[in-house]
Amino acid sequence: MLCSSNSTSPLCSFGSPWPDLNDGLFYNDAVSTSSDSGLTLIHFYSSKYKNSAPLQGWLQRIHNGQITIDGEVVKEPKAILRDGMELVYHRLPWREPDAPYLLQVLYEDDDMIALNKPPGLQVLPGGLFQQRTVLMQLQWRASKGSSSLAIQGSHPVPVHRLGRGTSGILLCAKTKVAKTSLAAYFADGTSLIGDSSNANMEQSKTRKISKIYRALVNGILNQDKIIIKQPIGTMRYPGVAKGLYVATPSGKPALSKVEVLERDSQLNQTLVQVEIESGRPHQIRIHLSFIGHPLLGDPLYDVGGQPMCFDSEHEDESFAEDGYKCISVYVGVDESHEFDFTSFRGYERPAKPVPGDCGYYLHAHQLVLSHPTKNEQVIKITAPLPSILRTQAETEELM
């Protein structure tokens, strides 16, 4: 269905089904230092990228013809590198985990587009999801020439993130000017947290963006309103290269305002509204678990804002084999290293829960902001609520 750029038009959706395999990835390197010149190909990769694969893994990739030097495939691990050589490693295509592809347009004009992201869809490429992302759907939409994006030659880009399991409003910029302004809105809100000066207190009252979420949490919150000011930082965690965000005194300031909407003592759960005045990764999940009420169904965060299963003495040091991993029979024995692709599946998911795992109930429900190029215009965007996140009164009203 084609979506009109008129913001007052009825809601519409767009999206293209995912191909079975993605295009793989290409990693570029250049031999530019005296320390690299003279190394063998296998030494270069196995030492520089030892976290990607051990020695045997890099030998397999070289023998598979996945590395080129100055545009030529090289299968000799002992090939000598010289200054100025350009290396490219091709990570083979794989089938990414299932993900939805349809996106609902909540608002659109010449500067920005607001989408209703479904749970299970990643926003930007990362890890196993390099193609099945919101960004890719936006790029495909623009390339088809069926929207104002293609006519203007603009590049739609998300200006903030939502967790893969989180649904609701995702704001994307269609021009460089809008991207700069919207990114500043989010950054300004976060930078004000932790500064108690009068100037910043006044500035916080006139912030240019406000974000309100709905969430369903375990247990019964006794207080009707709670303000959480727990700092958020990172810790080492298997399967998360840059570290897992958790509640920690040494972290960066973060502020969440929680309001109880409905309590269900029979199911021992509480429906809450959360307004965040900062934008730390996984902030709502961490803050609610920190006060003893993790999101219902959250596979990662437990009471205290920490991962529920982590043993620092037994970190996972395994690596994912490149491309497709054989689960039945290897049928190729010649130099082409051909595989029976019907017998293969994609990368193994991490053994422990990771931030991208779904199952919890969190929805970016409302967004109020100053227009990025027309500051006098205030826009309010609302994403329809999933049934499980509606109050009883809201459900009755819809019926």
Side-chain angles (χ1 to χ4, degrees):
M1 178 180 180
L2 302 184
C3 298
S4 167
S5 61
N6 185 350
S7 63
T8 61
S9 64
L11 299 183
C12 61
S13 299
F14 69 91
S16 300
W18 306 114
D20 189 44
L21 301 180
N22 62 23
D23 298 324
L25 290 172
F26 292 87
Y27 299 89
N28 298 286
D29 278 288
V31 181
S32 57
T33 63
S34 57
S35 59
D36 290 340
S37 183
L39 293 179
T40 62
L41 184 63
I42 184 61
H43 187 189
F44 176 86
Y45 277 104
S46 62
S47 58
K48 189 172 184 178
Y49 300 109
K50 59 185 177 182
N51 290 334
S52 171
L55 177 66
Q56 194 60 37
W58 282 112
L59 282 171
Q60 175 188 333
R61 293 167 179 178
I62 294 172
H63 288 313
N64 283 352
Q66 294 173 237
I67 296 176
T68 63
I69 299 179
D70 293 334
E72 300 291 331
V73 174
V74 176
K75 295 185 178 182
E76 174 50 63
K78 295 182 180 180
I80 302 298
L81 303 182
R82 301 300 179 196
D83 188 47
M85 285 183 170
E86 294 185 354
L87 311 179
V88 179
Y89 154 56
H90 180 206
R91 177 177 169 181
L92 297 177
W94 69 93
R95 187 187 189 283
E96 299 182 12
D98 292 338
Y101 64 86
L102 285 177
L103 290 160
Q104 186 182 51
V105 178
L106 300 171
Y107 176 91
E108 183 174 16
D109 60 24
D110 291 338
D111 296 293
M112 63 181 184
I113 179 172
L115 305 173
N116 187 9
K117 186 188 85 69
L121 179 59
Q122 190 157 300
V123 174
L124 299 176
L128 291 178
F129 295 92
Q130 295 296 324
Q131 184 178 70
R132 299 185 179 191
T133 64
V134 172
L135 180 62
M136 184 59 69
Q137 288 293 347
L138 283 169
Q139 291 175 346
W140 285 346
R141 180 183 187 236
S143 67
K144 289 177 182 177
S146 61
S147 71
S148 59
L149 300 177
I151 296 172
Q152 298 173 12
S154 56
H155 305 281
V157 179
V159 293
H160 64 113
R161 297 198 188 199
L162 292 180
R164 191 166 74 88
T166 305
S167 59
I169 303 170
L170 178 69
L171 201 57
C172 307
K174 295 166 64 177
T175 65
K176 290 183 179 179
V177 172
K179 179 184 177 182
T180 300
S181 295
L182 293 172
Y185 290 178
F186 284 96
D188 288 347
T190 299
S191 65
L192 294 174
I193 305 303
D195 190 334
S196 58
S197 66
N198 290 333
N200 272 344
M201 291 291 285
E202 288 301 315
Q203 190 175 350
S204 68
K205 296 178 182 178
T206 59
R207 66 178 67 251
K208 292 191 173 183
I209 193 163
S210 174
K211 301 161 285 184
I212 295 177
Y213 291 72
R214 284 284 180 97
L216 191 62
V217 303
N218 281 297
I220 303 298
L221 274 74
N222 294 321
Q223 296 175 267
D224 291 335
K225 294 184 178 181
I226 305 171
I227 294 179
I228 307 171
K229 296 182 178 180
Q230 172 60 36
I232 294 174
T234 59
M235 63 177 287
R236 290 185 63 187
Y237 185 83
V240 184
K242 296 182 179 180
L244 177 69
Y245 285 92
V246 296
T248 173
S250 61
K252 295 181 179 180
L255 176 63
S256 300
K257 297 179 179 179
V258 182
E259 180 178 350
V260 171
L261 298 178
E262 203 166 73
R263 298 177 176 90
D264 189 332
S265 56
Q266 185 175 356
L267 295 177
N268 192 36
Q269 60 192 35
T270 305
L271 181 64
V272 298
Q273 173 178 289
V274 185
E275 180 179 0
I276 58 173
E277 295 194 3
S278 53
R280 306 300 177 195
H282 316 299
Q283 176 174 320
I284 294 176
R285 297 169 66 185
I286 294 170
H287 271 181
L288 288 170
S289 63
F290 175 76
I291 64 171
H293 298 277
L295 268 62
L296 187 68
D298 194 329
L300 177 60
Y301 290 106
D302 202 0
V303 173
Q306 302 295 315
M308 62 178 60
C309 54
F310 176 62
D311 184 353
S312 60
E313 296 182 358
H314 296 88
E315 291 193 41
D316 183 9
E317 297 182 352
S318 63
F319 75 99
E321 293 184 23
D322 196 66
Y324 271 66
K325 182 177 179 182
C326 185
I327 59 173
S328 57
V329 60
Y330 173 49
V331 298
V333 293
D334 59 3
E335 292 182 348
S336 66
H337 289 79
E338 292 180 350
F339 293 87
D340 176 5
F341 286 102
T342 62
S343 302
F344 285 67
R345 56 189 165 89
Y347 280 68
E348 296 284 351
R349 57 151 283 111
K352 295 182 180 294
V354 292
D357 290 346
C358 305
Y360 55 89
Y361 299 99
L362 179 62
H363 182 74
H365 181 39
Q366 291 182 337
L367 194 66
V368 180
L369 72 154
S370 298
H371 193 279
T373 63
K374 306 168 186 174
N375 287 328
E376 71 282 358
Q377 182 180 353
V378 176
I379 299 170
K380 181 177 180 180
I381 304 169
T382 301
L385 289 165
S387 59
I388 196 169
L389 294 179
R390 298 180 194 138
T391 64
Q392 185 175 348
E394 288 168 337
T395 300
E396 291 173 355
E397 182 178 347
L398 285 174
M399 294 175 62

